[in-house]
């Protein structure tokens, strides 16, 4: 039986729209990972530049988003918290939580019992669980993908506006979901390749499907769609094993397809700037650069060792981290600029192959990157590796740091499996 619970811990009601400093989706403004900020602290710890930290009443790897005075994040409870005793799938409940930005106080939560049985808590799912999709917002509503239970819309007070099913399938390996929704004009666009073999757009006010691009080959894809501003108009880029697809957001028609060297899976999202796009991943470590015009030009197709996270483009280089190594590659040629092993202060790397899940974010020429053990790094962009700061983890928190930070108005928000953190120079 389905249950729906809304818990308020404050009487405040929120109706604010998105502000310029908001971080409203995975990797922030247009998915670039680049903050429109002048500065945030470069050093932090349990005793330095930590404004507040608060418990998350569940587990998850989704990233936080910032809308006005609220921080939104998802988690799950009831099933899949302990590989040795996972419990019963019928008890799985997902939660959308709102926290007060200034204090970390929980404002409200909404809870949804899983309406369709998810894949068993085993194998790769034990690395990320059942709350892996980052919410997105247009400043009036919060949209969140709860895998096989569908796409949900809530207002900023936690009232459910609509719910839409996008499919109840599984990927061949049964690794669960992970792609995040994006808002484009009046649409919410979702990579529903895992649950429904489709890229789908729904009306953000009603939840009605506007268009859907379906293909049985759309699976093993966990990347979040990207918007590229081509000369002929905006295009939605969507990558799946062996191909990149460009969709007209107004009609859902395919504009073009390109063969991709990522032949087994897509985890990291496509990076876009102007009329160019870059993608990397797969087990063999492949990468491709594209120039998008009246025809599609492959700028490079090379081998680059990458992992699960999405690279960031700062200046002329792409940067990313994986397995304790920080990489830079020239965005025009695909050639490595450097590979540098990151120092570890004590906590061991976690995850399959010691992979780091969090994607780097940047403020100006300073990039911030979290390892899964909670240690973090501030690296200056450039052709030479320059480590500005290496921050210890949070000893009281033994859960994984797998999300990507959010940056807003001089503050950095990061979640682990168990806790939410606000890093700020105003730490009182």
């Amino acid at each position: 039986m389905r249950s729906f619970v809304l818990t308020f811990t404050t009487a405040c009601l929120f109706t604010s729209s998105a502000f310029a400093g908001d971080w409203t989706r995975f990797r922030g403004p247009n998915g670039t990972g680049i903050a429109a900020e002048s500065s945030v602290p470069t050093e932090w710890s349990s005793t330095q530049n930590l404004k507040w930290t608060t418990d998350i009443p569940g587990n998850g790897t989704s990233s936080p988003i910032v809308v006005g005075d609220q921080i939104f994040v998802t988690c799950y409870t009831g099933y899949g918290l302990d590989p040795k005793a996972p419990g019963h799938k019928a008890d799985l409940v997902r939660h959308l939580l709102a926290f007060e930005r200034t204090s970390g106080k929980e404002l409200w939560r909404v809870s949804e019992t899983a309406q369709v049985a998810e894949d068993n808590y085993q194998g790769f799912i034990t690395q990320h669980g059942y709350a892996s999709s980052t919410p997105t917002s247009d400043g009036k509503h919060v949209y969140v993908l709860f895998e096989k239970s569908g796409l949900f819309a809530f207002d900023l007070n936690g009232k459910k506006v609509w719910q839409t099913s996008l499919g109840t399938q599984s990927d061949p390996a049964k690794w669960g979901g992970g792609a995040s929704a994006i808002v484009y004009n009046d649409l919410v666009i979702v990579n529903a390749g895992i649950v429904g073999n489709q890229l789908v757009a729904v009306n953000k006010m009603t939840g009605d499907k506007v268009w859907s691009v379906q293909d049985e080959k759309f699976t093993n894809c966990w990347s979040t769609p990207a918007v590229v501003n081509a000369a002929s108009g905006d295009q939605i880029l969507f990558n799946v094993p062996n191909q990149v697809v460009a969709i007209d957001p107004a009609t859902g028609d395919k504009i073009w397809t390109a063969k991709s060297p990522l032949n087994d899976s897509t985890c990291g999202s496509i990076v876009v700037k102007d009329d160019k796009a870059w993608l990397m991943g797969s087990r063999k470590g492949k990468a491709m650069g594209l120039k998008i015009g009246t025809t599609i030009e492959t700028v490079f197709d090379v081998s680059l060792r990458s992992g699960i996270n999405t690279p960031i483009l700062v200046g002329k280089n792409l940067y990313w981290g994986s397995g304790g190594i920080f990489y830079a590659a020239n965005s025009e040629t695909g050639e490595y600029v450097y590979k540098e092993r990151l120092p570890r202060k004590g906590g061991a790397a976690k995850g399959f192959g010691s992979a780091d899940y969090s994607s780097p974010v940047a403020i100006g020429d300073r990039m911030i990157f979290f390892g899964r053990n909670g240690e973090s790094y501030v690296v200056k962009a450039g052709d030479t590796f320059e480590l500005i700061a290496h921050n210890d983890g949070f000893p009281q928190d033994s859960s994984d740091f797998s999300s990507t930070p959010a940056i807003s108005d001089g503050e950095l928000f990061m979640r682990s499996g168990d806790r939410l953190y606000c890093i700020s120079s105003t730490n009182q």
Side-chain angles (χ1 to χ4, degrees):
M1 177 180 293
R2 175 182 165 222
S3 68
F4 173 71
V5 180
L6 172 61
T7 304
F8 284 95
T9 56
T10 179
C12 297
L13 297 180
F14 294 85
T15 58
S16 60
S17 296
F19 297 104
D22 287 351
W23 189 275
T24 58
R25 54 159 291 182
F26 175 62
R27 300 183 74 240
N30 198 31
T32 63
I34 297 175
E37 303 285 328
S38 57
S39 66
V40 297
T42 58
E43 296 181 346
W44 51 81
S45 68
S46 298
T47 58
Q48 181 183 16
N49 290 327
L50 182 62
K51 185 175 180 179
W52 52 257
T53 181
T54 189
D55 288 335
I56 295 175
N59 205 343
T61 56
S62 62
S63 302
I65 65 170
V66 183
V67 183
D69 295 328
Q70 296 187 89
I71 312 299
F72 296 100
V73 72
T74 65
C75 69
Y76 70 95
T77 57
Y79 173 72
L81 300 173
D82 182 352
K84 296 181 180 179
H88 302 284
K89 284 190 284 186
D91 296 329
L92 176 64
V93 180
R94 295 185 181 87
H95 313 272
L96 172 66
L97 302 114
F99 295 91
E100 185 177 64
R101 176 187 177 131
T102 56
S103 67
K105 177 183 178 182
E106 184 181 327
L107 299 171
W108 53 259
R109 75 177 76 169
V110 288
S111 304
E112 287 281 346
T113 300
Q115 298 173 31
V116 178
E118 297 289 353
D119 298 320
N120 292 333
Y121 188 65
Q122 61 188 21
F124 199 76
I125 287 185
T126 63
Q127 298 298 303
H128 66 92
Y130 300 98
S132 305
S133 299
T134 298
T136 188
S137 177
D138 60 0
K140 297 181 179 179
H141 300 94
V142 180
Y143 308 94
V144 60
L145 181 62
F146 285 153
E147 299 184 23
K148 295 181 183 182
S149 292
L151 181 68
F152 293 74
F154 301 94
D155 68 18
L156 298 189
N157 300 309
K159 179 182 177 181
K160 186 164 73 171
V161 179
W162 51 257
Q163 170 190 356
T164 298
S165 175
L166 302 179
T168 58
Q169 299 174 194
S170 301
D171 62 284
K174 300 187 185 307
W175 284 352
S180 301
I182 65 171
V183 175
Y184 175 85
N185 294 339
D186 293 330
L187 303 175
V188 182
I189 299 175
V190 185
N191 167 6
I194 298 299
V195 298
N197 298 132
Q198 63 178 327
L199 178 72
V200 61
V202 304
N203 183 299
K204 71 177 186 179
M205 298 304 297
T206 66
D208 295 331
K209 292 183 181 179
V210 177
W211 51 256
S212 173
V213 182
Q214 297 183 327
D215 190 321
E216 63 180 10
K217 297 178 181 178
F218 289 179
T219 189
N220 281 359
C221 50
W222 293 270
S223 58
T224 295
V227 181
V228 65
N229 306 120
S232 58
D234 290 349
Q235 301 177 12
I236 306 297
L237 300 192
F238 174 53
N239 59 322
V240 299
N242 297 306
Q243 65 177 313
V244 182
V245 182
I247 304 297
D248 183 339
T251 64
D253 295 333
K254 286 186 181 180
I255 301 173
W256 54 263
T257 62
K259 183 174 176 57
S260 168
L262 280 61
N263 62 357
D264 50 29
S265 63
T266 61
C267 293
S269 301
I270 298 176
V271 177
V272 298
K273 184 178 181 181
D274 301 326
D275 60 349
K276 295 181 179 179
W278 300 266
L279 56 149
M280 62 177 64
S282 79
R283 292 187 183 92
K284 294 182 178 179
K286 297 294 185 178
M288 182 169 68
L290 296 171
K291 184 174 182 180
I292 301 165
T294 53
T295 59
I296 306 306
E297 176 186 347
T298 299
V299 179
F300 63 77
D301 182 343
V302 299
S303 294
L304 289 176
R305 175 53 57 191
S306 58
I308 290 172
N309 60 51
T310 299
I312 192 168
L313 177 68
V314 183
K316 65 178 182 179
N317 292 335
L318 293 160
Y319 302 88
W320 69 100
S322 180
I325 298 176
F326 199 74
Y327 298 86
N330 187 294
S331 65
E332 297 176 358
T333 65
E335 297 177 339
Y336 282 116
V337 175
Y338 63 71
K339 311 175 196 176
E340 191 73 24
R341 181 163 294 281
L342 296 168
R344 300 277 190 182
K345 288 191 175 182
K350 301 176 181 179
F352 285 0
S354 300
D356 292 306
Y357 281 32
S358 178
S359 298
V361 295
I363 301 173
D365 64 352
R366 296 188 174 192
M367 298 172 290
I368 299 169
F369 177 67
F370 274 79
R372 284 197 91 188
N373 65 353
E375 293 185 37
S376 54
Y377 308 86
V378 182
V379 180
K380 186 175 181 179
D383 290 344
T384 302
F385 178 78
E386 182 178 344
L387 184 62
I388 296 171
H390 174 198
N391 299 301
D392 200 353
F394 299 94
Q396 76 281 8
D397 190 344
S398 61
S399 61
D400 292 347
F401 285 72
S402 297
S403 79
T404 294
I407 299 173
S408 174
D409 294 333
E411 297 180 323
L412 183 145
F413 301 90
M414 182 63 177
R415 71 85 57 91
S416 66
D418 295 340
R419 298 186 67 80
L420 179 64
Y421 296 83
C422 175
I423 295 167
S424 173
S425 58
T426 306
N427 57 4
Q428 297 181 352

